[in-house]
């Protein structure tokens, strides 16, 4: 803990690598693997994943609940010899809590306590150890590498087999987050240890509040670069900030993950007094036995409270005498509203149920303390018409039913942060994360119905998307142990799909509104295809430094990233020629040629032919139009020429380049901002 003046003085010493402020990051709060076509039992449409894996995934989060059946080590071989980590003991966490599944566990409270004071001062349940009191870290770890556990559900919802994407992978746990907050100092310490310990993949479902800091002063970007240098892929969530230009963890050496839906809904419908059924959504296991009167929150304002304020159903805004025994209809003030607290307010006033008008988040499964459900525009209009026509409107809220096979899916999640990349806009980033059932900490009761202890829970967020991608990366690493982080990243990105299960372009939840790569990145992950992508776009640490130099990085800034004094070349490679699996030009001034190099991975010679989707107002040509490869590991370079004929007026326009060989499709999104012709 030092002053800014002391920090500046300290930075002048040659022996000091870098000095930047430690900020606070936040956590980005089953059937999904079936939807992604990953199944532990092989059939003609699924890939077998029951092989033994020595891939080690490091999870930087809120810890783990090691007793969960998802972390049993039945049938796993010995701990890989390459692992140099430790099982650090602490509160309610002994050496026996590690096994052949959880092979390492560490915890980091120092940065958090320096910022906020002792953990004991919070008057909340916590463990000064790697044990998870939050539930988030347990959920993430089991989504990545949980073993198959039969007959799992949340109060009967989403019942089935819970499993991780890479059930044979090993887990190393790094607890840096306390009560939902994570100190940069602790995160960087954990990354340092994970590199030393020998993990293969690092998964971070956390990040800063927007806007994204510059890479040289961002702990996750700095730590991830060192991991990248050591052959470790870092997968990190993009955030849940809804709006354009809010994506975080966007450094090109990080695989950034946004959120999308799967083909499953949790319906909690409303039975009106006129016998009509309205579509509603929530995680509601509570059965409402009888019909109850309906009342708008705005019509039940407490004394002195404006009707508009009461409509949001926040604390101390409702009159208990008016809502007692009734179902209260509430509205959303902003996307960040605490929806659970609205139901608590209704219950405190004697209300027996809540209907929440929430057009944007209606398909996100929230849990409430009383029967409650979220409705969108179609149901709102029918509800309003009924209340207007009936002098004594009544309704009943049904418990949740699980519906599988819904269409369209996937969709970009309404809450998911969006591009463009505000730090280096030439980089277009790489998504399921809505209503995911996975293991939970039984002491983390705040997020569950009536604060009941559960062993498995359903939550949503880019936090939930990130472990899906981390698991896919672990599977690829198992199949291709010598591949670099960039090659694995390329395989995931270039094989992603951009069409939903109705064969239309992926839309944005909740209404299927039009999307661009700033919503869905490279697309929705296709794990099976990513195991055999055909071509990969590889890049090295030096390529990253050249990219940073082309964006104006100074030697001192590069030192913050690398740890040593680094000079840029006199003529750095233009950032648009960085060998990334997407193609972005943030300022296209007239015609431009860019270059990419692909590496071939195949069993026999192959020819790939280029197919281009032109961005509006831009002609794109590829030279050569065909690439012929003779042996695996062969590299070929091609040129992409952009010839704009319409100014895009400060907006990006999008297209794609796809290499095809009759079996495989290697797709790169294209985004250009035409500033002059």
């Amino acid at each position: 803990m030092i002053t800014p003046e002391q920090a500046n003085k300290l930075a002048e010493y040659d022996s000091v690598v870098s000095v930047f402020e430690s900020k606070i990051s936040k956590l980005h709060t089953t059937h999904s693997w079936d939807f992604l076509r990953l199944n532990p039992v092989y059939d003609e449409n699924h890939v077998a994943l029951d092989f033994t894996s020595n891939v080690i995934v490091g999870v930087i989060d809120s810890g783990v609940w090691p007793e969960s059946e998802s972390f049993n080590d039945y049938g796993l071989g010995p701990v890989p010899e390459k692992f140099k980590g430790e099982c650090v003991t602490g509160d309610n966490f002994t050496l026996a809590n590690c096994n052949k599944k959880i092979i390492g566990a560490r915890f980091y409270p120092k940065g958090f306590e320096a910022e906020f004071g002792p953990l004991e001062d919070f008057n909340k349940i916590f463990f000064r150890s790697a044990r998870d009191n939050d539930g988030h870290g347990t959920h993430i770890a089991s989504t990545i590498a949980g073993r198959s556990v039969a007959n799992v559900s949340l109060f009967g919802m989403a019942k089935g087999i819970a499993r991780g994407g890479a059930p044979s992978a090993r887990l190393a746990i790094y607890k840096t987050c306390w009560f939902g907050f994570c100190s940069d100092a602790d995160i960087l310490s954990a990354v340092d240890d994970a590199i030393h310990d020998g993990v293969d993949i690092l998964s971070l479902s956390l990040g800063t509040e927007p806007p994204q800091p510059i890479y040289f002063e961002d702990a996750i970007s700095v730590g991830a670069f060192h991991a990248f240098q050591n052959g470790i892929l870092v997968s990190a969530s993009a955030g849940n900030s809804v709006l354009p230009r809010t994506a975080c963890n966007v450094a090109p050496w990080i695989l950034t993950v946004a959120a999308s839906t799967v083909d499953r809904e949790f319906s909690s419908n409303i039975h009106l007094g006129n016998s009509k059924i309205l579509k509603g959504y929530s995680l509601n296991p509570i059965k409402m036995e009888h019909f109850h009167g309906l009342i708008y929150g705005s019509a039940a304002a407490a004394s002195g409270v404006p009707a508009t304020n009461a409509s949001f159903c926040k604390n101390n805004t409702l009159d208990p005498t008016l809502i007692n025994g009734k179902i209260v209809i509430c509205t959303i003030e902003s996307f960040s509203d605490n929806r659970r607290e609205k139901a608590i307010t209704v219950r405190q006033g004697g209300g027996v149920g809540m209907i929440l008008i929430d057009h944007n988040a209606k398909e996100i499964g929230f849990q409430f303390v009383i029967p409650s459900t979220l409705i969108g525009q179609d149901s709102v209009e029918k509800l309003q018409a009924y209340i207007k026509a009936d002098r004594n409107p009544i309704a009943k809220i049904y418990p949740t039913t699980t519906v599988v096979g819904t269409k369209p899916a996937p969709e970009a999640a309404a809450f998911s942060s969006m591009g463009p990349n505000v730090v280096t806009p030439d980089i277009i980033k790489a998504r399921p994360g809505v209503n995911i059932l996975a293991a939970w900490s039984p002491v983390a009761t705040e997020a569950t119905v009536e604060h009941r202890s559960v062993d498995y829970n359903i939550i949503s967020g880019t936090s939930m998307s990130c472990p899906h991608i981390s698991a896919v990366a672990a599977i690829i690493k198992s199949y291709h142990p010598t591949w670099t982080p960039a090659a694995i990243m390329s395989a995931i990105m270039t094989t992603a799909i951009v069409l939903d299960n109705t064969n239309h372009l992926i839309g944005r939840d909740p209404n299927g509104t039009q999307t661009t790569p700033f919503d869905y990145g490279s697309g929705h992950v296709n794990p099976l295809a990513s195991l055999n992508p055909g071509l990969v776009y590889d890049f090295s640490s030096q390529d990253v430094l050249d990219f940073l130099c082309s964006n104006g990085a100074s030697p001192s800034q590069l030192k913050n990233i690398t740890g040593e004094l680094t000079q840029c070349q006199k003529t750095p490679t233009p950032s648009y020629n960085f060998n990334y699996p997407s193609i972005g030009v943030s300022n296209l001034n007239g015609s431009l040629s860019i270059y990419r190099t692909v590496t071939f991975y195949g069993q026999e010679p192959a020819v790939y032919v280029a197919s281009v989707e032109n961005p509006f107002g831009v002609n794109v040509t590829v030279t050569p139009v065909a690439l012929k490869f003779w042996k695996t590991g062969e590299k070929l370079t091609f040129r992409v020429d952009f010839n704009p004929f319409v100014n895009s007026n400060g907006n990006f326009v999008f297209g794609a380049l796809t290499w095809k060989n009759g079996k495989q499709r290697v797709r790169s999104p294209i985004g250009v901002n035409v500033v002059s012709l």
Side-chain angles (χ1 to χ4, degrees), residues 3-41:
T3 66
E5 292 77 16
Q6 290 171 324
N8 290 335
K9 189 70 175 174
L10 197 62
E12 294 174 1
Y13 287 85
D14 291 338
S15 58
V16 173
V17 170
S18 66
V19 178
F20 55 92
E21 182 183 359
S22 176
K23 298 182 175 67
I24 295 296
S25 289
K26 291 183 178 180
L27 294 172
H28 287 151
T29 286
T30 50
H31 166 75
S32 57
W33 291 115
D34 290 327
F35 182 58
L36 295 177
R37 305 181 68 78
L38 280 177
N39 194 302
V41 180

Side-chain angles (χ1 to χ4, degrees), residues 124-348:
K124 293 184 178 182
I125 295 175
F126 76 92
F127 302 99
R128 194 177 285 275
S129 70
R131 182 172 291 277
D132 182 14
N133 55 277
D134 181 282
H136 192 275
T138 301
H139 198 280
I140 298 302
S142 66
T143 301
I144 297 171
R147 310 302 298 278
S148 292
V149 183
N151 298 316
V152 169
S153 71
L154 176 65
F155 305 127
M157 296 175 286
K159 189 172 183 178
I161 296 175
R163 66 174 184 274
S168 297
R170 315 307 177 104
L171 291 167
I173 304 300
Y174 303 89
K175 180 179 177 180
T176 63
C177 302
W178 307 84
F179 314 119
F181 296 95
C182 327
S183 164
D184 276 358
D186 295 332
I187 294 169
L188 209 50
S189 295
V191 173
D192 208 24
D193 282 340
I195 293 170
H196 168 270
D197 292 347
V199 306
D200 299 295
I201 311 291
L202 259 180
S203 188
L204 290 86
S205 288
L206 50 91
T208 59
E209 292 291 295
Q212 161 81 39
I214 63 171
Y215 304 141
F216 317 105
E217 297 176 3
D218 175 49
I220 295 176
S221 297
V222 171
F225 177 81
H226 286 266
F228 183 89
Q229 277 188 312
N230 284 274
I232 301 167
L233 176 75
V234 176
S235 168
S237 49
N240 303 326
S241 297
V242 184
L243 300 173
R245 306 176 67 85
T246 60
C248 68
N249 297 324
V250 293
W253 53 91
I254 298 174
L255 183 53
T256 314
V257 190
S260 59
T261 63
V262 297
D263 64 337
R264 178 177 62 188
E265 291 178 352
F266 295 102
S267 297
S268 178
N269 296 336
I270 304 162
H271 190 168
L272 299 179
N274 62 3
S275 297
K276 288 187 176 179
I277 305 295
L278 302 185
K279 186 81 170 175
Y281 304 86
S282 78
L283 299 173
N284 170 38
I286 308 169
K287 187 176 182 180
M288 185 176 278
E289 298 287 352
H290 308 287
F291 283 87
H292 296 271
L294 290 166
I295 187 170
Y296 288 110
S298 57
S303 178
V305 176
T308 300
N309 290 11
S311 71
F312 305 134
C313 299
K314 295 191 175 181
N315 194 31
N316 297 323
T317 63
L318 300 176
D319 186 338
T321 62
L322 296 176
I323 69 171
N324 187 51
K326 295 186 177 180
I327 297 172
V328 183
I329 302 165
C330 306
T331 60
I332 288 293
E333 184 176 17
S334 70
F335 193 88
S336 60
D337 273 11
N338 188 322
R339 292 154 179 83
R340 288 176 49 81
E341 285 186 359
K342 295 177 188 294
I344 293 171
T345 297
V346 171
R347 184 176 73 167
Q348 288 173 343

Side-chain angles (χ1 to χ4, degrees), residues 67 133 169 173-174 308 354 415 417 435 464 498 560 619 632:
E67 288 82 6
N133 55 277
I173 304 300
Y174 303 89
T308 300
M354 180 182 72
F415 56 76
S417 292
N435 299 333
M464 281 64 259
V498 295
N560 274 19
N619 283 326
T632 193

Side-chain angles (χ1 to χ4, degrees), residues 71 86 133 213 227 250 516 622:
F71 304 121
E86 299 178 35
N133 55 277
V250 293
T516 74
V622 179

Side-chain angles (χ1 to χ4, degrees), residues 124-125 133-134 154-155 283 285-286 338-345 347-348 366-370 440-457:
K124 293 184 178 182
I125 295 175
N133 55 277
D134 181 282
L154 176 65
F155 305 127
L283 299 173
I286 308 169
N338 188 322
R339 292 154 179 83
R340 288 176 49 81
E341 285 186 359
K342 295 177 188 294
I344 293 171
T345 297
R347 184 176 73 167
Q348 288 173 343
F366 292 99
Q367 300 180 48
F368 301 97
V369 295
I370 54 176
W440 195 250
S441 166
V443 301
T445 60
E446 291 182 5
T448 59
V449 176
E450 295 184 327
H451 292 188
R452 288 157 65 181
S453 176
V454 297
D455 295 322
Y456 288 80
N457 198 13

Side-chain angles (χ1 to χ4, degrees), residues 58 130 193 257 274 323 366 375 496 582 594 609 628 666:
D193 282 340
V257 190
N274 62 3
I323 69 171
F366 292 99
I375 62 174
S582 64
I594 72 158
V609 179
K628 188 166 187 177
V666 186

